[in-house]
Amino acid sequence: MQTSTEVVPPLMSRFRPSAAPRKPAPFLPMSRAEMDKLGWDACDIVLVTGDAYVDHPSFGMAIIGRLLESQGFRVGIISQPDWQSAEPFKALGKPRVFFGVTGGNMDSMVNRYTADRRLRHDDAYTPNGEGGKRPDRCTLVYAQRCREAFKDVPIILGGIEASLRRIAHYDYWSDKVRRSVLADAKADLLLYGNAERAVIEVAHRLAAGEAPRELEDIRGVALFRRVPENTIELHADDLDAADEGARQVRGDVVIRLPSCEQVEQDKEAYARASRVLHRESNPGNARPLVQRHGDRDLWLNPPPIPLTTEEMDSVYDLPYARAPHPSYGNAKIPAWDMIKTSVTIMRGCFGGCTFCSITEHEGRIIQSRSEASILQEIEKIRDKTPGFTGVISDIGGPTANMYRMACKDSNIESSCRKPSCVFPDICPNLNTSHDDLIRLYRKVREVKGIKRVMVASGVRYDLAVKSPAYIKELVSHHVGGYLKIAPEHTERGPLDKMMKPGIGTYHRFKQMFEAAAKQAGKQYYLIPYFIAAHPGTTDEDMMNLALWLKRNRYRADQVQTFLPSPMATATAMYHSGVNPLRGVRHGASEPVEAIKGLRQRRLHKAFLRYHDPDNWPVLREALKAMGRADLIGSRPDQLVPAHQPPGTGKAAGTRRPVRGDGPKPQRFTTKGVRLVK
């Protein structure tokens, strides 16, 4: 999408004038020996990443590295360096233009800790899945070490960790509000969102001799700067005013968020800042934001203009080796094994689920690749992937079925400030046709050597029910025994705080799915996701969800508890106790119950695993306290037995009896991996 007054040059329209055309490197170098082999005396840009280097478009450092290479820059990669000293950050020498620092494909804290703040012992983005190869808040640590290594080299932060920590944010693991990572890392610039446009512009202008502080006009950039004279400030930091800085004013305008110090001390101020930031996320109408940090102003330019289909194709058609760097030898990288035969067909999500950070990073505008580019990548997978069996493991993106969906009217799209296109109902201006996706599926299946194409990305079922033809196509050709789906809850209270459709829409999809499976002569299962302890969820809500699970004969073997990731709207609810989906001001904010105590969080999780004997004692105690002792007993309509049967619980070899007639209960994981019985 592009504003009516802004002309954006094509992504690949620039090339470094002083750079002679050269062949792409087989892999971007990770050592001086590789640089010598390429004939390089120095790198122009060194990318430091918390992930293993896999040269594949599913890994951010590979996309940015190959993109900068296509612009004529010499790019090296330092992957998962030892952060105990600055020496590993000198491995490729002093970069001529800048250091680019990213935590990797995941926020390092989400990657390393569970929702209960317990340490994970594995890391899917590390050779052999080994844990502990990156520090906590690794973007911050890496940037500080880069500064120690070469003090005068500009440091540019990017990736999802930096993107979601671009302003003062609540940090779940320390249980406090932290400053923008740009301030703590002492870096020069922060690029947020999908940063292809911004990183090209930054690289060329820094190479031409401009200073980082002079790059204040680039979209998707955060930096510290003074508010220019003659700029009109709209004060969203005044919590006694209803305005929230949302009014339209002619001229150069900036919206002043509550300061870092203010959001640290006032939880309603934090919720106001979150609300305004999300309302200013549409590239078509977003204004710059400014937030005071001590004696400096943090300035956030409007989000990047989304890539066109041609630009998306150019990014995914870059000369990736499509393999891990050879230095890893035969080590297994779990994340690579998971995605090496999958294809990304689009970016972005207009669902706006409050617990999810995809929208905050990739935006609400769907950016889709062309059929030709997708088919070409599938042929590369077929021809270049060792041991390829003819099965494409996934064709999708953040969601499976938003390909080429967009607002019917570009003017409406560029002026809209709604956080979701599908909540509380699907917007009548949204084109929900699945015809392009159905046509793509059929063309993909016709590629020579392709035996099966799976859909493993989550299906947005409220969109799918609008297209019976899509459900039929999906079930007939692209489901492998189960399909993951995300109702998240059954009760209206938490669903409204999640911005998710009611359970009735799930039932309609399930009916259509089962009818299509029967017609195709298949026996398939839906694997539903559910979240425990989400803000706005009561104990009664979880009890009702557990009863629904039992009535429908579902048994969750693994469950997910709400994890407050930085910048998500639900995280603002969790921290502040108010609802930023509605107006936020002193005396007029809507309260939200946040489930913070470990005891209550475990209770909500126990309701999801009502069938586990280990949970029966706590559930019996809770049901009695709730006045629902009628649900304790052995009848089919009761939730847990009155007595703990001998040999149940943690005892090995426990058999869990199935009560009542009919088929055995489905066992599933809310993370989408069906367990073999």
Side-chain angles (χ1 to χ4, degrees):
M1 185 189 72
Q2 180 174 318
T3 63
S4 58
T5 59
E6 185 172 358
V7 177
V8 180
L11 185 69
M12 297 296 192
S13 61
R14 300 182 67 170
F15 186 81
R16 193 178 181 197
S18 61
R22 63 174 71 92
K23 289 179 61 177
F27 284 85
L28 301 177
M30 290 178 62
S31 67
R32 288 305 300 250
E34 291 174 82
M35 290 170 59
D36 293 342
K37 199 170 182 179
L38 293 168
W40 297 6
D41 60 335
C43 290
D44 297 312
I45 297 163
V46 172
L47 302 180
V48 183
T49 175
D51 291 342
Y53 169 33
V54 180
D55 198 53
H56 185 279
S58 291
F59 291 78
M61 94 293 289
I63 286 182
I64 297 302
R66 289 298 187 181
L67 183 66
L68 290 168
E69 180 190 53
S70 76
Q71 301 293 301
F73 294 97
R74 294 177 173 180
V75 183
I77 292 203
I78 297 177
S79 169
Q80 298 186 321
D82 182 353
W83 66 91
Q84 303 300 327
S85 76
E87 289 305 310
F89 296 80
K90 301 177 182 178
L92 302 183
K94 182 178 179 179
R96 292 191 177 109
V97 182
F98 69 82
F99 272 115
V101 176
T102 173
N105 274 22
M106 290 180 65
D107 182 280
S108 62
M109 301 301 286
V110 176
N111 178 282
R112 199 165 184 219
Y113 295 93
T114 70
D116 292 333
R117 299 188 178 98
R118 292 178 178 173
L119 184 69
R120 301 184 196 272
H121 298 289
D122 58 351
D123 184 341
Y125 294 91
T126 300
N128 294 321
E130 185 179 354
K133 287 296 183 179
R134 71 183 89 202
D136 291 356
R137 304 180 182 88
C138 62
T139 296
L140 188 160
V141 176
Y142 290 164
Q144 292 175 343
R145 289 290 186 246
C146 288
R147 185 68 76 203
E148 291 176 29
F150 301 105
K151 292 183 179 180
D152 56 341
V153 176
I155 297 172
I156 315 299
L157 307 183
I160 194 165
E161 179 165 289
S163 186
L164 299 185
R165 297 171 181 271
R166 59 187 182 261
I167 65 171
H169 56 279
Y170 173 71
D171 182 84
Y172 171 64
W173 298 271
S174 59
D175 192 26
K176 67 179 184 180
V177 174
R178 295 179 64 95
R179 301 190 301 172
S180 165
V181 68
L182 184 63
D184 284 341
K186 298 180 174 59
D188 296 282
L189 297 174
L190 184 154
L191 310 186
Y192 70 87
N194 292 127
E196 286 93 349
R197 291 195 197 282
V199 78
I200 286 177
E201 185 75 7
V202 166
H204 282 295
R205 289 172 62 175
L206 288 179
E210 290 190 58
R213 65 178 178 276
E214 298 177 287
L215 308 183
E216 75 280 350
D217 59 330
I218 301 174
R219 277 178 171 264
V221 165
L223 74 166
F224 284 98
R225 64 173 294 202
R226 293 179 179 177
V227 176
E229 293 183 9
N230 302 320
T231 299
I232 300 169
E233 288 195 29
L234 300 181
H235 283 269
D237 57 343
D238 181 4
L239 267 75
D240 293 316
D243 178 39
E244 297 181 334
R247 57 194 170 94
Q248 298 297 315
V249 178
R250 291 185 179 182
D252 293 331
V253 174
V254 64
I255 298 179
R256 181 165 290 281
L257 299 176
S259 69
C260 178
E261 293 74 20
Q262 193 176 356
V263 299
E264 285 178 342
Q265 298 165 11
D266 185 338
K267 292 184 176 181
E268 281 185 300
Y270 185 94
R272 170 74 77 94
S274 174
R275 174 174 169 80
V276 173
L277 181 139
H278 285 85
R279 286 172 62 86
E280 298 294 332
S281 63
N282 183 342
N285 61 17
R287 281 81 57 90
L289 304 174
V290 65
Q291 184 180 52
R292 195 74 171 170
H293 278 59
D295 59 353
R296 296 191 296 169
D297 278 330
L298 174 70
W299 181 282
L300 275 73
N301 279 330
I305 298 296
L307 301 184
T308 65
T309 293
E310 293 75 17
E311 290 170 333
M312 282 281 286
D313 288 352
S314 67
V315 168
Y316 284 86
D317 293 345
L318 290 167
Y320 305 100
R322 306 188 67 82
H325 190 273
S327 63
Y328 300 125
N330 295 323
K332 298 287 186 181
I333 301 175
W336 159 244
D337 289 339
M338 184 184 301
I339 59 88
K340 63 184 176 183
T341 62
S342 68
V343 181
T344 299
I345 64 174
M346 47 76 69
R347 286 181 183 170
C349 179
F350 50 69
C353 300
T354 62
F355 53 81
C356 178
S357 298
I358 290 173
T359 299
E360 282 74 13
H361 183 60
E362 296 193 4
R364 291 181 173 83
I365 309 299
I366 302 303
Q367 304 158 74
S368 301
R369 296 170 63 188
S370 70
E371 292 177 351
S373 175
I374 294 166
L375 294 172
Q376 183 180 5
E377 182 172 359
I378 288 174
E379 290 173 349
K380 289 178 182 176
I381 292 172
R382 177 196 64 194
D383 298 338
K384 293 187 175 183
T385 305
F388 180 60
T389 62
V391 177
I392 299 297
S393 60
D394 184 29
I395 182 166
T399 58
N401 60 320
M402 288 186 182
Y403 181 68
R404 290 190 177 173
M405 290 187 182
C407 189
K408 297 173 184 176
D409 187 320
S410 59
N411 291 324
I412 293 175
E413 181 180 68
S414 64
S415 62
C416 182
R417 294 186 185 276
K418 292 182 178 179
S420 172
C421 299
V422 292
F423 182 87
D425 297 301
I426 295 175
C427 178
N429 296 311
L430 180 66
N431 172 21
T432 61
S433 172
H434 286 67
D435 292 349
D436 288 334
L437 187 55
I438 292 171
R439 182 168 56 250
L440 174 64
Y441 284 174
R442 290 173 178 173
K443 289 186 177 182
V444 167
R445 296 200 304 268
E446 293 172 358
V447 175
K448 185 178 179 180
I450 300 302
K451 300 176 183 177
R452 195 84 187 271
V453 179
M454 310 305 297
V455 172
S457 299
V459 172
R460 187 79 195 200
Y461 58 89
D462 50 348
L463 294 172
V465 296
K466 299 291 185 181
S467 177
Y470 172 73
I471 295 176
K472 182 178 179 181
E473 190 81 13
L474 182 72
V475 171
S476 299
H477 302 285
H478 302 285
V479 176
Y482 65 88
L483 180 73
K484 57 186 180 182
I485 212 80
E488 308 295 5
H489 217 285
T490 57
E491 305 306 295
R492 192 67 268 169
L495 288 172
D496 284 346
K497 301 302 183 295
M498 298 175 185
M499 291 208 300
K500 292 285 290 186
I503 196 66
T505 307
Y506 168 80
H507 286 306
R508 286 196 297 276
F509 178 82
K510 183 173 185 290
Q511 184 180 29
M512 296 169 72
F513 177 88
E514 291 175 345
K518 184 176 181 181
Q519 185 178 359
K522 310 285 188 180
Q523 187 175 4
Y524 290 152
Y525 300 94
L526 289 180
I527 306 299
Y529 288 10
F530 296 99
I531 295 179
H534 190 278
T537 308
T538 65
D539 296 351
E540 288 75 14
D541 290 331
M542 292 306 301
M543 176 192 72
N544 289 331
L545 172 54
L547 291 169
W548 183 92
L549 289 170
K550 187 169 186 181
R551 284 196 304 271
N552 288 276
R553 307 185 70 80
Y554 283 129
R555 288 185 171 185
D557 281 275
Q558 295 178 22
V559 300
Q560 53 186 349
T561 306
F562 171 69
L563 193 160
S565 59
M567 199 173 287
T569 298
T571 300
M573 295 180 192
Y574 175 90
H575 172 61
S576 69
V578 303
N579 183 7
L581 297 175
R582 300 185 181 275
V584 178
R585 62 185 187 274
H586 289 146
S589 302
E590 178 185 295
V592 174
E593 182 177 354
I595 296 82
K596 294 187 176 182
L598 185 60
R599 181 184 179 91
Q600 191 179 18
R601 286 172 68 85
R602 287 178 175 171
L603 171 62
H604 283 206
K605 189 174 180 180
F607 272 120
L608 281 181
R609 287 182 48 78
Y610 68 91
H611 56 281
D612 187 344
D614 287 348
N615 292 326
W616 291 349
V618 69
L619 289 177
R620 279 193 291 264
E621 180 184 349
L623 289 171
K624 290 175 183 177
M626 294 162 64
R628 293 307 308 269
D630 58 300
L631 295 177
I632 302 172
S634 58
R635 295 196 315 268
D637 62 330
Q638 294 176 310
L639 196 59
V640 295
H643 304 285
Q644 199 75 20
T648 61
K650 296 181 180 179
T654 297
R655 293 194 62 187
R656 301 173 186 174
V658 178
R659 302 188 184 279
D661 299 326
K664 292 181 178 179
Q666 293 182 40
R667 298 180 66 213
F668 69 95
T669 162
T670 59
K671 294 183 179 178
V673 180
R674 187 163 179 264
L675 301 180
V676 178
K677 289 188 268 189

